[in-house]
Amino acid sequence: MSDLSSTERTRHRRLREQGRTNRAELFDVLEAGFVCHLGVIVDGAPMVVPTAYGFDSDNLYIHGSVASRSLAAGGPTPVCVTVTHVDGLVLARSVFEHGVNYRSAMIYGVPRPLEGEEKLEALRILTEHTAPGQWDYARRPNRKELAATTILAVSLEEASVKVRQGPPDDADDPHDVWAGVLPLAATWQPPVTDPAASHEVPDHVRLRAGTRLG
Amino acid sequence: MSDLSSTERTRHRRLREQGRTNRAELFDVLEAGFVCHLGVIVDGAPMVVPTAYGFDSDNLYIHGSVASRSLAAGGPTPVCVTVTHVDGLVLARSVFEHGVNYRSAMIYGVPRPLEGEEKLEALRILTEHTAPGQWDYARRPNRKELAATTILAVSLEEASVKVRQGPPDDADDPHDVWAGVLPLAATWQPPVTDPAASHEVPDHVRLRAGTRLG
């Protein structure tokens, strides 16, 4: 299992210094998911909370309710946002070489609360990334709802991507047994209509069923 | 999306004070997955890293390579371990009520490095939780490998569980459109044999294909 746990911030790469290839990898990882794990420091201890996200070429966008407490307490506060796709189990010949095939992005920054048009646009991006088609189909936020929503932007400037794919690395191990990968796939299921709703499932929802996430 | 982001440590529950029901919920969430997100503080900033885990009735077990840097730097250091299962998208009538159906456990503690028999047993638990059957099938760690492995125990005493399931909460919204849930399911796929391996896929691996994670 060690492969999934060896990232250190010291090895992170400033993506803008690395050019297009790694930025493309970053966007591939962000595009493939919609829930991240947000790390903040609260009362001197780390707190890690899952939350939905969206992104554009410059920023990742999240709801602010998680970070708001530490933001409110001490002004700008550093966060780490991690997006992980678990692609399979690496079943090696030795226990020591067991691991996980995965793609993961880590983004470091100080979140910036958005206001006005920028906030509305970020909420649109977040909504459309998570639930494509719903920005035009559902009722958009009114003034009161928008005021009750905090949207934070985290710059994508400091980010790193880690990927592990392929078979185990211990083909030379003398323990002669089967080895390989047990892949894992997340798939959207048929929609479940709210008992209180009477409309047909719209195409933009119906057509996601059976497609894979990530 | 706000449902997935409203946990605050202040609302956490000491599970031992809450009795069996919530401990059962905690174990259900831990049993349903095998990758957690570990939050540590490094150089004053949070770092969130995905890593595999195992657990027993008292502790969660993880590899120590992630936390080792902050552990080494300053002795005992607080961590937050979060396990999340994303069960579906909540597609409401209003954008404001959109959210995610999920189950999540957050565990707070100061990791304790294990040694000797306790370390070997924790590695067995971690391996068997992640890759059931492999402790007996694969080659167990030799002395050198075991020495190169750090295993940390995080007590399950301080933990909280958050769950959101079911249809959207805005049935009274005047915007009369379809609403419901788009479920998401993670399923083990057929094993992919290492090109360098010559044995048949063992039953304990083969029979997982087609089963759901979580």
Side-chain angles (χ1 to χ4, degrees):
Chain A
M1 314 297 145
S2 52
D3 276 313
L4 201 55
S5 52
S6 62
T7 301
E8 291 178 11
R9 191 165 177 172
T10 45
R11 283 190 265 132
H12 287 172
R13 300 162 281 183
R14 297 247 169 195
L15 284 175
R16 285 194 179 153
E17 295 170 12
Q18 286 223 326
R20 203 172 54 189
T21 309
N22 284 310
R23 280 194 79 76
E25 281 179 9
L26 171 65
F27 291 122
D28 283 351
V29 172
L30 296 181
E31 185 61 38
F34 68 99
V35 170
C36 61
H37 280 79
L38 169 70
V40 294
I41 300 176
V42 176
D43 298 337
M47 182 171 79
V48 178
V49 187
T51 191
Y53 69 87
F55 66 99
D56 59 20
S57 56
D58 296 317
N59 295 293
L60 182 129
Y61 301 107
I62 52 177
H63 280 273
S65 49
V66 181
S68 60
R69 205 174 138 226
S70 48
L71 277 172
T77 184
V79 304
C80 175
V81 177
T82 300
V83 174
T84 305
H85 310 295
V86 178
D87 294 321
L89 268 179
V90 180
L91 303 169
R93 291 143 188 95
S94 62
V95 164
F96 188 72
E97 291 288 343
H98 275 55
V100 177
N101 277 346
Y102 70 101
R103 292 159 288 153
S104 185
M106 298 168 69
I107 297 146
Y108 292 92
V110 175
R112 180 171 61 91
L114 302 182
E115 296 298 336
E117 281 304 308
E118 203 180 15
K119 178 178 178 179
L120 190 66
E121 172 61 6
L123 185 58
R124 186 193 68 76
I125 288 169
L126 203 168
T127 303
E128 281 295 295
H129 176 63
T130 306
Q134 287 293 101
W135 188 254
D136 285 337
Y137 184 77
R139 180 177 61 71
R140 294 190 192 166
N142 58 35
R143 196 172 299 184
K144 191 179 158 190
E145 290 169 339
L146 202 58
T149 305
T150 308
I151 302 288
L152 301 175
V154 182
S155 167
L156 296 177
E157 191 164 0
E158 190 182 359
S160 69
V161 174
K162 277 199 78 182
V163 175
R164 201 271 177 225
Q165 304 284 288
D169 292 323
D170 64 352
D172 57 347
D173 197 281
H175 189 66
D176 186 25
V177 293
W178 179 87
V181 169
L182 191 64
L184 186 68
T187 308
W188 294 107
Q189 307 294 304
V192 178
T193 297
D194 184 341
S198 54
H199 295 262
E200 290 290 303
V201 182
D203 280 352
H204 70 274
V205 174
R206 189 175 52 82
L207 296 174
R208 288 186 90 181
T211 66
R212 274 178 66 163
L213 177 76
Chain B
M1 314 295 147
S2 52
D3 276 309
L4 200 55
S5 52
S6 62
T7 301
E8 292 178 11
R9 192 164 179 172
T10 46
R11 282 189 266 133
H12 288 173
R13 299 161 283 186
R14 297 245 168 198
L15 285 175
R16 285 193 179 154
E17 294 168 8
Q18 286 222 326
R20 201 173 53 191
T21 309
N22 283 311
R23 280 194 80 76
E25 281 179 8
L26 172 64
F27 291 123
D28 284 349
V29 172
L30 295 182
E31 185 61 38
F34 68 99
V35 170
C36 62
H37 279 80
L38 169 69
V40 294
I41 300 175
V42 176
D43 298 335
M47 183 170 79
V48 178
V49 187
T51 191
Y53 68 88
F55 65 100
D56 60 20
S57 56
D58 296 318
N59 295 293
L60 183 129
Y61 301 107
I62 52 176
H63 280 275
S65 49
V66 182
S68 59
R69 206 175 138 224
S70 49
L71 277 171
T77 185
V79 303
C80 174
V81 177
T82 300
V83 175
T84 305
H85 310 294
V86 177
D87 294 321
L89 269 179
V90 180
L91 302 169
R93 293 146 187 91
S94 62
V95 164
F96 189 72
E97 291 288 343
H98 277 55
V100 177
N101 277 344
Y102 70 101
R103 293 159 287 152
S104 185
M106 297 168 69
I107 297 146
Y108 292 93
V110 175
R112 182 171 60 91
L114 302 181
E115 296 297 338
E117 281 304 308
E118 202 180 16
K119 178 177 175 178
L120 190 66
E121 172 62 6
L123 184 58
R124 185 192 68 76
I125 288 169
L126 203 169
T127 303
E128 281 296 293
H129 176 62
T130 305
Q134 288 293 100
W135 188 254
D136 286 336
Y137 184 77
R139 180 177 61 72
R140 294 189 193 168
N142 58 35
R143 195 172 301 184
K144 190 179 158 190
E145 289 169 340
L146 202 57
T149 306
T150 308
I151 301 287
L152 302 174
V154 182
S155 167
L156 295 177
E157 189 164 1
E158 188 182 0
S160 70
V161 174
K162 278 200 76 182
V163 176
R164 201 271 176 225
Q165 304 283 289
D169 293 322
D170 65 351
D172 58 347
D173 197 281
H175 189 66
D176 185 26
V177 292
W178 180 87
V181 169
L182 190 65
L184 186 68
T187 308
W188 294 107
Q189 306 295 303
V192 177
T193 297
D194 184 343
S198 55
H199 294 261
E200 290 291 304
V201 182
D203 279 353
H204 70 274
V205 174
R206 189 176 51 83
L207 296 173
R208 289 187 90 181
T211 66
R212 272 178 68 162
L213 177 75

